[in-house]
Each structure stands twice: as C-alpha cells, then as structure tokens.
C-alpha cells in the first residue's frame, strides 16, 4: 500500500537482549519490557 496520507500507521520496535526484550510502539508512545524467555515472549 503506497498511501502518503495513511495516518493509521503503527510502528513497533523491539530491542533484543540476552535476558529481556524492550518493546516500543509508535506513535502511541507505549514502552514496556518482557523477559527474553518462553513466558515473556
């Protein structure tokens, strides 16, 4: 979809670490951390 006026776009970033995953959801400005194991994922 190539729509320059699409304002419903959401981006999710995940920073992976050995013991945790940091998740950021933009543009909702939501940030949280989960453990990097089967339960957290």
């Amino acid at each position: 979809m190539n729509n320059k006026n699409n304002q419903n776009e959401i981006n999710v970033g995940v920073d992976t670490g050995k013991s945790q995953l940091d998740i950021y959801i933009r543009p909702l400005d939501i940030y949280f951390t989960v453990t990097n194991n089967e339960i957290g994922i």
Side-chain angles (χ1 to χ4, degrees):
M1 175 183 269
N2 190 8
N3 185 353
K4 292 181 181 180
N5 295 325
N6 186 1
Q7 295 183 8
N8 295 324
E9 187 173 294
I10 295 177
N11 297 297
V12 177
V14 180
D15 184 17
T16 59
K18 187 173 184 177
S19 63
Q20 70 184 33
L21 305 172
D22 299 320
I23 294 100
Y24 180 74
I25 303 173
R26 181 179 169 258
L28 302 177
D29 201 29
I30 297 172
Y31 172 84
F32 59 95
T33 300
V34 296
T35 54
N36 190 1
N37 60 23
E38 198 170 313
I39 295 170
I41 295 170

